[in-house]
Amino acid sequence: LKKIHQNYRLSFLKDVVLPRALDDNAFAALNQIAFYNNMQIISALSADPVFFQALCDKLSDTTLESQPLLEALRLLQELCTIAKQLQLY
């Protein structure tokens, strides 16, 4: 959870607060930190069989209301996006 929060803050700083003030080296350093955080997040979640089983159970639950289902789908989409970005490197 700490790495997820750190990535959120890095993205906010990079995209909103400091976009014009960052030189190329600082921008690359922030991107590298976010990349390593993403690697650790995906590694930790993929090593946890309980997490993915719970996510699959939630997605296949027909009695689930629309908001929790939408949140689970967004989480899965975000994890897939991060995993795809990691494969590029």
Side-chain angles (χ1 to χ4, degrees):
L1 192 59
K2 181 180 174 184
K3 296 293 180 185
I4 294 171
H5 287 209
Q6 187 179 33
N7 268 6
Y8 177 79
R9 290 181 189 111
L10 280 174
S11 295
F12 182 77
L13 282 174
K14 185 178 69 167
D15 298 337
V16 177
V17 177
L18 302 171
R20 294 187 179 136
L22 291 177
D23 63 352
D24 290 340
N25 291 334
F27 189 78
L30 291 178
N31 281 338
Q32 188 174 18
I33 292 169
F35 175 79
Y36 286 122
N37 284 348
N38 284 338
M39 273 187 10
Q40 290 178 343
I41 292 166
I42 295 296
S43 294
L45 291 178
S46 64
D48 184 4
V50 175
F51 171 78
F52 277 111
Q53 186 59 49
L55 184 60
C56 289
D57 291 345
K58 186 176 272 195
L59 290 172
S60 62
D61 186 0
T62 58
T63 63
L64 199 62
E65 293 189 21
S66 61
Q67 188 62 31
L69 179 62
L70 184 60
E71 289 173 3
L73 285 171
R74 285 181 180 161
L75 174 62
L76 183 60
Q77 181 183 18
E78 186 67 26
L79 291 175
C80 289
T81 301
I82 291 172
K84 250 198 293 192
Q85 290 171 355
L86 293 178
Q87 287 180 353
L88 297 176
Y89 294 99

